Amino acid sequence: MTLSCLVNALIKCEMILSAKDIIAKSKNANTVTYSILLKGLARQEDLSHAMELLDIMKQNSRLVPNLVTYNTLLDAAVSQNQFNLMRKIYNEMIDSDIGVDLISVSTYIKGLFRDEQHVEAMEFFQKIKSEGSVKVDEILYNIVMDGLVRVGKYERAVELFSEMQKENFKPSNVTYSIMVLVIFDS
């Protein structure tokens, strides 16, 4: 616990190298400590070192990467427009025992839209809904509708808004903001 707090404090002070050194020398570093460092590297857009850290974790039976670890990397890949890496990370999650959750799916769909793969994003969204492997919610609908608006697919965004309401998801202020964009942009 103390080590994790120290690493977190060093990262907040932008002293990542010191945090890396302390972890490397510590016998008490665990998955949580490594994930904190990984998140710091991702925040500093140092994705290559974050991926190296993941490899170190995978090679050590005490440092098993978890869903939080992978979701952090997935989000960093999307944020940095590293779409091939995004796909690699997501597929690794699917192929492993880790699996995915709503955060993983939402991040992946957001990445597909950013990569201008709106057809793939919509097919993936429909697949997720039909499989029921992840419980779809209003936030995921918002991500998809926002992606559609950003690529100029206004009619489809409105259709999705109607579908969302038919499925008894209550629109939020974010949902209405997206729909306002439809009105002004189209």
Side-chain angles (χ1 to χ4, degrees), residues 12-69:
K12 285 183 179 180
C13 293
E14 297 185 16
M15 299 175 68
I16 295 247
L17 292 177
S18 297
K20 282 175 78 173
D21 287 342
I22 287 172
I23 286 177
K25 294 173 185 172
S26 174
K27 294 178 182 151
N28 297 320
N30 59 23
T31 300
V32 172
T33 310
Y34 270 78
S35 292
I36 291 168
L37 178 58
L38 197 135
K39 186 174 183 178
L41 290 167
R43 198 176 300 141
Q44 287 195 337
E45 297 187 358
D46 192 351
L47 200 47
S48 62
H49 282 109
M51 293 304 293
E52 286 175 15
L53 196 62
L54 176 66
D55 288 337
I56 290 169
M57 291 176 76
K58 287 193 243 177
Q59 294 168 10
N60 187 328
S61 61
R62 286 186 17 245
L63 305 173
V64 179
N66 58 27
L67 191 58
V68 172
T69 307

Side-chain angles (χ1 to χ4, degrees), residues 113 118 141-153 178:
F113 276 112
H118 67 276
Y141 268 98
N142 287 343
I143 288 169
V144 175
M145 288 184 295
D146 182 63
L148 289 167
V149 169
R150 290 178 187 273
V151 297
K153 302 292 182 187
I178 294 166

